[in-house]
Amino acid sequence: MFPAELRTAPTVLLISIIFSAGLLLPACAPGGSLESSEDSSGAETASGNIHEEPSGQGDSADKTPEAMNRMDKDTPDTVYVMPERPLPREAKPPEGYLRAVDEGIRTADGRPGDDYWQQFTEYDIDITLDPDSKTLGGTARITYHNHSPDELRHLHLELVQNLNQPGVRRNRPAEVTGGVSLHDVIVNGDTLTDESGRSARYSIQGTRMVIRPEEPVKADTSVELEISYDFTIPRQGAGGRMGHSGDNLFYLGYWYPHMTVYDDVVGWHPDPYLGQAEFYHGFADYDLRIRAPEDWIIMATGELQNPTDVLDPELASRWEDARKQDEPMRIFTAGSDQPATVRAASSGDAGAAGTDTLLTWHYRAENVRDVAFSATLESNWEAARTAVGDRTGDGETDYTLINTFWRDEAPLWEDVTEYQQHAITFLSDMTGLPYPWPHMTAIEGSGIIGGGMEYPMMTIMGDYNDRGAEALYSVTAHELAHMWIPLIVSTDERRYSWLDEGNTVFSTAEAVMDFLPERRPHNQSRNAYTRAARSGNEGPMMRRSDYHYSTQQFIIASYRKPSAVLVALQKVLGEDMFWKAYREFISEWAFRQAYPWDFFRTFERVSGKDLGWFWYSWYYETWVLDQSVAEVEETGEGTRIVIRDKGDVPMPVYLTVTYDGDNKATYTIPVDVWLKGSRSEELVIPERDVRRVEIDSGRDLPDINRQNAVWERS
């Protein structure tokens, strides 16, 4: 939408400048079908197909060299030209995805199919935290439900703490603690060993554990596992995503044997955890019993089932009151005389861990990808509710509980409850999906982490003392935005980190602009990406996340570029259509496992546009956008403007023309002209009083050279 003072653009004459030589292509509009009634930047072709090949590549075209190099006497109007630029190819999914579409598990337009399935797991875990020895040990009882049509002869699990074994394969430095020690592995009542030659056994290589049960797990049946284990807690484990700090804080993530994803596209996901690329988990129910010494407050994914058995009565009462309060309420103040917990003897749950007694904290969580928990001894605790919208459709506003834990050494954290309230409420509205869980908790984890890391209902973040309040709000919004992707819409972070991180950087920027209206955070991602693109130091976004050539390439391809590209997509589709498609993707894939092609095809279906050129150019290549104003001159017909596309990414050209007197008009040159293979396009407008011509005056597109995108009359 343009301000009222911008005058309506007059009729435009477009003249293609196409140079011919060598290999020839027919000079006709692309879009996959010559019967297509709309351009390729707009609606689907007449056949309704997605990602069609450029015109002239269809079955009706004679593609022999002899035919392409002759001028057919019967069709004198056909002119063959050589493309001056590389043309986007089809963004073709892998065979596994195409097979899932053929089988009705997914649809060709990006939705879960009628036969969609995914596995499900139930975890019943009893664990003991010993702060003195910094160890965690216990037993995980796992019920794995095979909803697939396949018979499973092997079961795959992930032991993330084995990243800390000596000699293990990793792509980040890690403290060597010895990894996970397994004591018992029982499958359907049978005790297994890792001895070779046995029909039923298990093996471990790095972070991967493979179990071969006595009998295969047939479709629509389940298998029972029981694994007893312990490990030494690293100070900064899992690539700096969990650990301990200052003898008064533990944050446990990736702390139990976790079933690996078996899905319809890949089957068992074979990629080990190396420390950089993150995770891909299936959904599960959890029943957790966490034993810890008295005075340590345990907060975890899920709902606390026994608050009066573990919390001091006064704290339990205040915490209950906070569920009805919009203003942050102090639940516990570090260093006060107020006890944090009951005494173990009074709870009827006494035990020993050194000289301390233990309390059992009982949490339950339903249909989540993962669980994490914190143990705090000297942290302040604040809580309040925040609105999330109407979860149930009854017309009433629903709420979730916000918890914040921080130590006195992190004074900026006194505002994090407010930050969480704003972010959860804003993101619930932005995504169209109200935050579904009973709480959202932020843990200050200086000494463990500098940035932040997300888990369902939980996040750990640094103190941000050196980076300031605005940066602390930004990281808070970022980690909370992850609740939607990849924790509600589950995605494979280990292969396609851009799908969760890029969307999250984009969502974070939207939240920042709402909280701090004077800020323009989208500019940061665009500028970071264009700097890398100018230097040639970037890798394709679709490259697997662990295999970028440098950490900088990983960050650009996973965080900065995909966020900048979403802003560009919003420009192409228009804001209303973009958000309609974005919310449709969130809604359709909530609590399901989405792939990049589900994301691509949802946008195409909702918008009615063939965007194959967009996906291929931005996601599969490291092509750049460099649109320039090559020439402006007055002619007998008015003013002639020549646009030269010096980059390889084809995009519409959004022109703003300013006339004497500061009147303005806008013009759009569709992407079709570039998809024909041309690099130049001429625009003739009837006015002669042109003072300035600028491409993308709103700075929405990640063009690597803004200097050649503006012409001003001297």
Side-chain angles (χ1 to χ4, degrees), residues 516-581:
L516 301 166
E518 71 281 5
R519 298 302 180 203
R520 294 294 177 265
H522 283 306
N523 294 350
Q524 297 176 0
S525 290
R526 186 192 66 229
N527 294 339
Y529 158 64
T530 54
R531 281 195 299 270
R534 283 193 296 270
S535 70
N537 190 17
E538 63 155 329
M541 287 160 56
M542 290 297 286
R543 177 173 289 158
R544 289 197 186 181
S545 304
D546 266 323
Y547 296 96
H548 286 282
Y549 298 153
S550 67
T551 299
Q552 181 184 1
Q553 287 193 9
F554 168 76
I555 291 172
I556 293 298
S558 302
Y559 293 78
R560 297 305 190 183
K561 182 177 179 179
S563 177
V565 168
L566 285 178
V567 176
L569 181 60
Q570 190 176 51
K571 181 73 172 179
V572 169
L573 296 180
E575 191 167 340
D576 290 345
M577 184 58 70
F578 174 87
W579 285 114
K580 182 180 179 182

Side-chain angles (χ1 to χ4, degrees), residues 44-116:
E44 296 175 311
T45 63
S47 64
N49 293 332
I50 300 173
H51 302 334
E52 296 288 342
E53 293 290 336
S55 295
Q57 304 294 312
D59 292 340
S60 62
D62 185 348
K63 292 173 278 188
T64 63
E66 293 79 11
M68 297 184 71
N69 282 283
R70 70 171 181 257
M71 297 296 293
D72 192 329
K73 295 180 181 180
D74 296 328
T75 55
D77 293 332
T78 301
V79 178
Y80 291 94
V81 296
M82 178 182 180
E84 300 179 80
R85 62 189 304 146
L87 297 177
R89 295 187 292 164
E90 180 183 5
K92 186 178 180 181
E95 290 302 318
Y97 183 92
L98 296 175
R99 182 175 60 251
V101 171
D102 289 342
E103 294 174 357
I105 302 168
R106 296 170 192 261
T107 68
D109 60 4
R111 290 177 288 191
D114 292 338
D115 295 322
Y116 180 81

